Amino acid sequence: MSHGSAAVLHGLEVPQVALDTVHLTRDRRGGGQRRKWLRVHGLPLPQEHVAAVDGVPTTALPRTVVDLACSLPLPDGVAIGDGALRLGLHPADLSAVLTGVGTRHGVGRARRALELLDGRSESYGESISRVLMLERGLPAPEPQLRVRDARGVVVARVDFAWPSLGVIGEFDGRIKYGLDLAPDQDPAQALWREKLREDRLRDLGWQVVRWVWADLENPRDWFARLERAFGRGRPVPA
């Protein structure tokens, strides 16, 4: 198993397009096959790139990340790599695999993805957001900043912050879909707590911009809201 099929076995989140076909890799150059529900890749597969998950032969985690970074758009390659870092993978392991795969198709994009990895991103959507902002040419944010009040008390930990511009960015994918809630938690209460949290941030002088998955799919309005906030904001002590 390889590519998206291996990623699922390793516990990585991947886009739906990577799951539409079962992917296998055979240790050979060329000779790939494509069927309706199956894709067989003919690629060199040294033993150190092979593992087993629950008894299923699969590409090792670093090789799986590199394979996907070569074959998927840059934002997805970064998001998958960030997820692997959160699982404990070391960037050096990815660099070693990337060096070993040679000049195969997509290796330049994979190299760029590895340069952009940041395990501080806590979700797939946060990683996608970070890459899209970079591609737009927006200032680089500081991920997972702890915002403090005048007494030094932590008010919130935010997804993205630009302290010199006085702007906070929050990706709402988790709360919007209830993924952070325990079984006994009320979504309405969670949203109310989030509102109070945002009010405290605004009271401290921050501009707050929120976005959801739909904004990542069509980011034009989201970019405009961020750029307006950058124009209105003032430096805020972090």
Side-chain angles (χ1 to χ4, degrees):
M1 306 291 283
S2 65
H3 295 75
S5 304
V8 171
L9 294 174
H10 285 295
L12 290 172
E13 185 177 359
V14 294
Q16 183 59 47
V17 67
L19 302 176
D20 290 341
T21 303
V22 175
H23 288 261
L24 306 175
T25 293
R26 291 183 175 174
D27 183 17
R28 62 191 184 192
R29 292 187 179 275
Q33 302 175 28
R34 187 190 296 269
R35 300 175 185 172
K36 185 176 182 180
W37 303 114
L38 176 66
R39 174 77 185 275
V40 179
H41 304 265
L43 294 166
L45 195 61
Q47 189 59 41
E48 62 267 24
H49 292 186
V50 178
V53 179
D54 294 333
V56 179
T58 181
T59 49
L61 180 58
R63 172 61 183 266
T64 301
V65 172
V66 170
D67 283 342
L68 288 169
C70 286
S71 57
L72 292 174
L74 179 65
D76 290 297
V78 173
I80 291 166
D82 284 351
L85 296 186
R86 291 194 296 272
L87 291 177
L89 184 65
H90 196 282
D93 295 329
L94 291 170
S95 298
V97 171
L98 188 61
T99 300
V101 299
T103 58
R104 59 182 276 192
H105 179 73
V107 71
R109 183 169 59 246
R111 187 174 294 111
R112 177 60 173 154
L114 266 59
E115 291 172 352
L116 298 178
L117 297 188
D118 190 331
R120 291 177 295 175
S121 286
E122 292 189 336
S123 73
Y124 202 98
E126 288 180 31
S127 298
I128 295 287
S129 300
R130 196 177 75 251
V131 178
L132 292 180
M133 288 187 285
L134 175 67
E135 293 181 328
R136 174 70 174 185
L138 298 176
E142 183 171 346
Q144 305 304 323
L145 179 71
R146 284 179 167 81
V147 177
R148 302 175 185 272
D149 63 17
R151 298 172 297 168
V153 176
V154 175
V155 172
R157 182 163 59 88
V158 299
D159 296 337
F160 303 100
W162 295 264
S164 65
L165 297 170
V167 175
I168 282 170
E170 294 275 69
F171 173 66
D172 282 341
R174 296 166 297 173
I175 292 175
K176 180 177 174 64
Y177 298 107
L179 299 181
D180 272 356
L181 301 182
D184 60 344
Q185 284 185 291
D186 182 355
Q189 291 181 350
L191 289 173
W192 177 249
R193 287 194 297 271
E194 187 65 18
K195 178 187 180 303
L196 296 178
R197 172 179 174 273
E198 183 170 323
D199 288 344
R200 293 187 69 189
L201 292 171
R202 293 186 187 278
D203 288 343
L204 291 173
W206 294 91
Q207 301 279 329
V208 180
V209 179
R210 313 189 76 92
W211 60 89
V212 296
W213 275 108
D215 294 308
L216 302 186
E217 295 164 1
N218 184 15
R220 182 176 177 179
D221 290 343
W222 164 45
F223 288 151
R225 286 187 282 117
L226 272 175
E227 288 163 350
R228 286 196 298 270
F230 292 153
R232 293 192 304 260
R234 298 290 183 273
V236 177

